[in-house]
Amino acid sequence: MKKLITFLTLTTLLLSGCNEATVKTESVENSEISDPLPSWNEGATKTAIIEFVNSVSKEGGTQYVSPEERIATFDNDGTLWCEQPVAQLEFAAYQVKKMAVDHPEWKDTQPFKSVLEGDNEYLVNDLLNNHGKELMKLITVTHAGMTLTEFSADVTAFLNASSHPKYGKKYTETVYQPMLELLQYLRKNEFKTYICSGGGNSFMRVFADDVYGIVPENVIGTFAMNTFEQVDGEWQIVKGTKNIFMNDKATKPATIEQRIGRIPIFVGGNVRSGGDIGQLTYSQTNTLPNFQLLVNHDDDVREFAYSEKDNASLNAAQEGGWHVVSMKNDWKKIFPFDN
Amino acid sequence: MKKLITFLTLTTLLLSGCNEATVKTESVENSEISDPLPSWNEGATKTAIIEFVNSVSKEGGTQYVSPEERIATFDNDGTLWCEQPVAQLEFAAYQVKKMAVDHPEWKDTQPFKSVLEGDNEYLVNDLLNNHGKELMKLITVTHAGMTLTEFSADVTAFLNASSHPKYGKKYTETVYQPMLELLQYLRKNEFKTYICSGGGNSFMRVFADDVYGIVPENVIGTFAMNTFEQVDGEWQIVKGTKNIFMNDKATKPATIEQRIGRIPIFVGGNVRSGGDIGQLTYSQTNTLPNFQLLVNHDDDVREFAYSEKDNASLNAAQEGGWHVVSMKNDWKKIFPFDN
């Protein structure tokens, strides 16, 4: 289509001579063809994104930022893909069920019993009243003690075998089309795009490059101290549980600092648990021009509608002048498979 | 100079016609002009480096490695710059002396007393018999509790005010010229160059970009859990002491995995404490072609001569087929300031 229009434009130019009217038509056509964010509705948010990217990329401009400082970080769950349900917790449950064959005692032992019986109440209570200590037992069993190679194969097997309960699509398909376009648009303008999420480093690396074009070294997640040791005579990275760095809320800036050593100029997060207020705030401490995007889940038809009891993220957005994305109004389509 | 020779070569070609002799002369001249490692003596090590880089960079070749997998990691102390003395420990002593003004009690309190009195024995004993617990107190006081901005300014002040006891040059000048050339050569061939050192993330980032061309996100060092908090009303990264990841020996592969998520294909380390055996071994677990370089300090005239009691690194090099650099024989010059 693009080629055809370019050809027609050229033909018009040659036949008509290069008068002002022709040039104007060509320019409008080109801007339509090259819309970098086609799944975003026209509006304040889309305009602000494009203006920001243009201003920091324009050499000689007052807002210019050199490419090496164009760091963009994005939360994953609820920002780049669905977080209802949280895929990594589904993975943990999937693994517990698989491993239960070798652990007959789990039928009568919590927290495994609750997973095997599909009793969500037990873990919800644990999270609310017990700091998620029981959940951590599930995570430990399913995320540590094996080689990294084995773990990655487990994640791949889960992603291939499972599907999202609402859409019947793989979790790697329930990603937000507008955000895929935004990631690509930023990279095209020499931004380095990173994930900064509470999800596991090793979990997200299995799909981040294929799905988002985010390379392993740019995946910043929760991690623990792994070890390098000989397993069956071969040197391997073995997943451990010591010194867990839970990458959430106020620890996100600390992990970004550890990993990148630069403050991002663009951060995308979402409303759910206040989990991204930290990294969004961090980007505002940058002396360079910076941009904050907060995804609000307000579309109960096409996705889910949920909010925070204390409204912390939206309040912080108002105070900080962050750009709030209404999924309902700002996004033409939600998923790549939407019409 | 390069331009002049190119011009002369072209002139010769035009005047003489393009016969075989002329072409040969041009090719020899070009290879001399474009020697990527001019401070390396001709020999097995230099040849092996160049052959490896050529083979992994040659598209369509059997050893070809795509640029995104061309990861090179280098130890810092003793591999890229002098480790006699260890600059970061000199920094700690420098800070203790500066801070002592506000801590009159340090005159009579260990381990501060030993630093103020220049008594090295105390800390050597601590390292040998007490797991370096006293040293850790010095590190804690000088490396934590302040904002990252303050810490970085302290490091800069130290680097500007101090000089190497043997050479009378700044620590940022006592870097190895052959390794600077190697880093540049690798980057020119689309390798991503990283530091992977026991030195602190935040310490090394102060000079790594200026001195080595290694950007902050590629500095992998020892780190602790920092915090993001308000200091005098401003959001800041504050350096902490919780969950210290000491990046040495077998933890180097684990930290490389955490930071990069890929196994390096090129690793440079040095003989002293067996500190790099881990990362050198790790690179050999890569299914892609890989290369190991081990710097041996055998030049007591131009630098220092020292070895390991158990000879662990050299033994591992022999077993693994690693390339051992003799500083005495392989390096034409050691420092940029050498003639």
Side-chain angles (χ1 to χ4, degrees):
Chain A
M1 186 60 183
K2 194 176 170 186
K3 268 189 187 162
L4 178 64
I5 292 173
T6 311
F7 174 72
L8 288 174
T9 310
L10 278 171
T11 313
T12 313
L13 278 170
L14 285 170
L15 290 177
S16 68
C18 184
N19 60 36
E20 211 185 302
T22 322
V23 171
K24 200 174 166 192
T25 312
E26 190 207 9
S27 143
V28 170
E29 275 178 5
N30 267 350
S31 112
E32 276 170 17
I33 296 163
S34 65
D35 180 353
L37 303 172
S39 300
W40 291 70
N41 286 317
E42 299 306 318
T45 312
K46 178 172 177 171
T47 303
I49 293 172
I50 293 177
E51 279 180 1
F52 176 75
V53 172
N54 283 342
S55 72
V56 298
S57 308
K58 195 185 163 187
E59 227 160 319
T62 55
Q63 300 296 296
Y64 179 73
V65 174
S66 65
E68 59 264 30
E69 294 286 358
R70 287 184 213 155
I71 305 288
T73 64
F74 289 87
D75 173 56
N76 184 39
D77 299 304
T79 300
L80 298 181
W81 78 358
C82 268
E83 65 180 346
Q84 306 268 23
V86 174
Q88 196 165 350
L89 296 182
E90 295 300 302
F91 166 72
Y94 181 88
Q95 289 301 101
V96 165
K97 286 171 193 160
K98 210 170 72 178
M99 295 164 80
V101 179
D102 299 322
H103 294 275
E105 75 280 10
W106 284 0
K107 269 193 307 191
D108 306 307
T109 322
Q110 290 292 20
F112 309 101
K113 185 171 180 282
S114 68
V115 174
L116 296 174
E117 293 174 356
D119 167 18
N120 291 332
E121 277 304 297
Y122 184 82
L123 289 173
V124 170
N125 277 333
D126 170 62
L127 273 172
L128 292 176
N129 306 315
N130 194 28
H131 307 286
K133 281 183 185 166
E134 290 287 279
L135 178 64
M136 199 46 78
K137 285 185 196 164
L138 293 180
I139 297 289
T140 303
V141 162
T142 54
H143 286 67
M146 69 290 288
T147 68
L148 179 63
T149 311
E150 288 164 344
F151 178 79
S152 304
D154 284 342
V155 175
T156 302
F158 160 75
L159 291 172
N160 286 332
S162 310
S163 58
H164 189 284
K166 177 167 175 172
Y167 305 105
K169 302 278 182 183
K170 287 182 185 172
Y171 289 108
T172 48
E173 293 176 283
T174 56
V175 294
Y176 305 138
Q177 175 64 24
M179 296 304 271
L180 296 181
E181 292 166 7
L182 177 56
L183 290 171
Q184 215 162 14
Y185 175 51
L186 290 172
R187 285 194 294 265
K188 216 174 150 185
N189 285 279
E190 295 182 79
F191 279 71
K192 284 167 216 130
T193 55
Y194 288 78
I195 287 177
C196 178
S197 161
N201 253 358
S202 315
F203 181 81
M204 298 187 292
R205 277 174 177 157
V206 172
F207 57 87
D209 198 357
D210 282 350
V211 174
Y212 305 129
I214 294 181
V215 291
E217 57 267 43
N218 289 8
V219 173
I220 302 176
T222 291
F223 68 98
M225 176 66 104
N226 295 333
T227 52
F228 183 59
E229 53 187 275
Q230 283 189 300
V231 180
D232 300 333
E234 306 241 331
W235 284 100
Q236 296 270 3
I237 297 286
V238 175
K239 284 181 58 58
T241 51
K242 275 190 196 157
N243 287 16
I244 294 182
F245 270 58
M246 182 60 92
N247 188 42
D248 197 25
K249 299 194 169 95
T251 64
K252 283 190 175 182
T255 319
I256 290 173
E257 197 289 312
Q258 187 252 332
R259 290 286 300 274
I260 311 180
R262 306 184 199 259
I263 305 173
I265 66 164
F266 194 112
V267 173
N270 75 292
V271 175
R272 188 187 194 185
S273 59
D276 291 311
I277 297 174
Q279 62 170 331
L280 288 155
T281 304
Y282 186 42
S283 64
Q284 291 194 299
T285 69
N286 202 326
T287 53
L288 298 167
N290 50 73
F291 193 97
Q292 295 73 34
L293 198 72
L294 185 76
V295 176
N296 193 21
H297 293 263
D298 58 0
D299 192 329
D300 59 350
V301 178
R302 297 185 299 172
E303 208 235 8
F304 302 93
Y306 49 92
S307 57
E308 293 164 357
K309 272 185 193 157
D310 59 3
N311 216 37
S313 298
L314 287 173
N315 289 345
Q318 189 154 27
E319 204 178 313
W322 303 345
H323 300 269
V324 177
V325 176
S326 158
M327 290 180 71
K328 194 171 175 176
N329 301 319
D330 282 316
W331 287 358
K332 223 174 270 180
K333 63 195 277 187
I334 308 274
F335 302 110
F337 53 80
D338 284 344
N339 287 323
Chain B
M1 185 61 182
K2 193 176 169 186
K3 268 190 187 161
L4 177 65
I5 292 174
T6 310
F7 173 73
L8 288 175
T9 310
L10 277 172
T11 313
T12 313
L13 278 168
L14 285 170
L15 290 176
S16 68
C18 183
N19 62 35
E20 212 183 302
T22 321
V23 171
K24 201 173 165 194
T25 312
E26 189 207 9
S27 144
V28 169
E29 276 178 4
N30 267 349
S31 111
E32 276 170 18
I33 296 163
S34 66
D35 180 353
L37 302 172
S39 301
W40 291 70
N41 286 318
E42 298 307 318
T45 311
K46 178 172 178 172
T47 302
I49 293 172
I50 292 176
E51 278 179 3
F52 176 76
V53 172
N54 283 342
S55 72
V56 299
S57 309
K58 195 185 162 187
E59 226 159 322
T62 56
Q63 300 296 297
Y64 178 73
V65 175
S66 66
E68 59 265 32
E69 295 286 358
R70 288 184 212 156
I71 306 286
T73 63
F74 289 88
D75 173 55
N76 184 38
D77 299 304
T79 300
L80 298 181
W81 79 356
C82 268
E83 64 179 349
Q84 306 267 23
V86 174
Q88 196 166 350
L89 296 183
E90 295 301 303
F91 165 71
Y94 181 87
Q95 289 302 100
V96 164
K97 286 171 195 162
K98 210 169 71 175
M99 294 163 80
V101 180
D102 298 323
H103 294 275
E105 75 280 11
W106 284 0
K107 270 193 306 192
D108 306 307
T109 322
Q110 289 294 20
F112 309 101
K113 185 171 180 283
S114 69
V115 174
L116 296 174
E117 292 174 357
D119 166 18
N120 291 332
E121 277 304 297
Y122 183 81
L123 289 173
V124 169
N125 277 334
D126 169 63
L127 274 171
L128 293 175
N129 305 316
N130 193 29
H131 307 286
K133 280 183 187 168
E134 289 287 278
L135 178 64
M136 199 45 77
K137 285 185 196 164
L138 293 180
I139 298 289
T140 303
V141 162
T142 53
H143 286 67
M146 69 290 286
T147 68
L148 180 63
T149 312
E150 288 165 344
F151 178 79
S152 303
D154 284 342
V155 176
T156 302
F158 160 76
L159 291 172
N160 285 333
S162 311
S163 58
H164 190 284
K166 177 167 175 174
Y167 305 105
K169 301 277 183 184
K170 287 183 185 172
Y171 288 107
T172 48
E173 293 176 281
T174 56
V175 293
Y176 304 138
Q177 175 64 23
M179 296 305 269
L180 296 182
E181 292 166 6
L182 177 56
L183 289 171
Q184 215 163 14
Y185 175 51
L186 290 170
R187 284 194 294 265
K188 215 173 150 185
N189 285 280
E190 295 183 77
F191 280 70
K192 284 166 215 133
T193 55
Y194 289 78
I195 286 177
C196 178
S197 161
N201 254 357
S202 315
F203 181 81
M204 297 187 292
R205 278 174 176 158
V206 172
F207 57 86
D209 197 356
D210 282 351
V211 175
Y212 304 129
I214 294 181
V215 290
E217 56 268 43
N218 288 9
V219 173
I220 301 176
T222 291
F223 68 98
M225 176 66 105
N226 295 334
T227 52
F228 183 58
E229 54 186 273
Q230 283 189 300
V231 179
D232 301 332
E234 304 241 331
W235 284 100
Q236 296 269 4
I237 297 285
V238 176
K239 285 182 59 53
T241 51
K242 277 192 196 155
N243 288 17
I244 293 181
F245 270 57
M246 182 60 94
N247 189 41
D248 196 25
K249 299 193 169 92
T251 64
K252 283 190 177 183
T255 319
I256 290 172
E257 197 289 311
Q258 187 252 331
R259 290 286 301 273
I260 311 181
R262 307 184 198 259
I263 305 173
I265 66 164
F266 194 113
V267 174
N270 76 291
V271 176
R272 186 186 194 186
S273 58
D276 291 311
I277 296 174
Q279 63 170 330
L280 288 155
T281 303
Y282 187 42
S283 66
Q284 291 194 299
T285 69
N286 202 327
T287 53
L288 298 168
N290 48 73
F291 193 97
Q292 295 73 35
L293 198 72
L294 185 75
V295 176
N296 193 21
H297 293 263
D298 59 359
D299 192 330
D300 60 349
V301 178
R302 297 185 300 170
E303 208 234 7
F304 302 93
Y306 50 92
S307 58
E308 294 165 358
K309 272 185 193 157
D310 58 3
N311 217 37
S313 297
L314 288 173
N315 289 345
Q318 189 153 26
E319 203 177 313
W322 305 344
H323 300 269
V324 177
V325 175
S326 159
M327 289 180 71
K328 193 171 175 174
N329 301 318
D330 283 317
W331 288 358
K332 222 174 270 179
K333 63 195 277 187
I334 308 272
F335 301 110
F337 54 80
D338 282 346
N339 289 322

